[in-house]
Amino acid sequence: SAWIVATGIVTAMFALRHPLESNLVTHVVVQMPLLAISGWQFADSPRSVVALGKLNSGGATGLTLALFVFAFWMLPRSVDGAVQSVALETAKFFTLPMAGAALAMSWPHLPVLAVAIIKANTLSMLLFLGWLYSASPFRLCNNYLRSEQDVLGAALISVAALLALAQAARATIGLGRSANPNTHTRHPP
């Protein structure tokens, strides 16, 4: 079930936290997204049906929560802090799955235009962060080597390119479309 998968991902990320956090790329490109995906998986489980109800009208509340959490964890200072501070690391293990779950519960309620804007913004933020990590002459994360920062920049740009290609392929061949043009499937951005 989805709940077991979500629990398994969080447990694995916690058990492997030291090897994953020892490298900037695996910390940002592997561990953090998998924590958010675990929350998405948890929200797909029947146990999360009670969710937000009227509080998440139109998906706005969950989306806002997810965006604030993701914005916080995009900051190099937050990535660095998660390695230095037990409190921030603990917060990461709670907030990223929570944000993934909030996004999953909001996604089906969002208007199609909002989904398109979120997808475009996700790509632009990945490209911007990739450029920032690559172009900065300074170490942005003190706990990691400058060379890791260059690799992370390239990885983020590559992820953005792959997501753009996947989205273009879906749009071209019609994957994920429903019969009703005003609805959309529950695929993450």
Side-chain angles (χ1 to χ4, degrees):
S1 91
W3 191 82
I4 293 171
V5 170
T7 305
I9 292 172
V10 171
T11 304
M13 291 301 96
F14 186 76
L16 298 171
R17 72 185 182 282
H18 294 300
L20 288 173
E21 292 172 359
S22 68
N23 183 289
L24 183 59
V25 178
T26 56
H27 189 185
V28 174
V29 178
V30 177
Q31 185 188 47
M32 289 183 171
L34 282 176
L35 287 170
I37 289 168
S38 72
W40 185 283
Q41 287 295 313
F42 178 74
D44 270 349
S45 75
R47 295 179 188 207
S48 67
V49 173
V50 235
L52 298 173
K54 287 185 179 183
L55 186 62
N56 197 25
S57 177
T61 306
L63 176 63
T64 303
L65 171 68
L67 291 178
F68 274 106
V69 170
F70 294 146
F72 177 80
W73 288 110
M74 272 193 261
L75 300 172
R77 176 66 187 110
S78 301
V79 174
D80 224 13
V83 176
Q84 294 173 326
S85 164
V86 173
L88 265 179
E89 183 174 23
T90 304
K92 176 181 69 177
F93 275 90
F94 283 105
T95 59
L96 285 172
M98 177 183 64
L103 186 59
M105 288 184 258
S106 299
W107 199 255
H109 304 294
L110 294 173
V112 174
L113 181 60
V115 170
I117 290 170
I118 291 166
K119 288 179 179 182
N121 191 40
T122 299
L123 292 176
S124 68
M125 286 309 298
L126 284 170
L127 289 170
F128 171 75
L129 286 171
W131 169 81
L132 177 68
Y133 278 105
S134 298
S136 176
F138 307 105
R139 280 189 355 189
L140 298 176
C141 295
N142 292 328
N143 290 305
Y144 297 103
L145 299 174
R146 176 68 183 81
S147 60
E148 291 179 41
Q149 188 172 302
D150 289 334
V151 175
L152 176 62
L156 291 172
I157 291 170
S158 298
V159 168
L162 289 173
L163 288 174
L165 286 172
Q167 194 59 35
R170 285 180 58 195
T172 304
I173 57 179
L175 293 177
R177 289 195 187 148
S178 67
N180 181 352
N182 295 322
T183 62
H184 52 276
T185 56
R186 199 169 150 161
H187 297 290

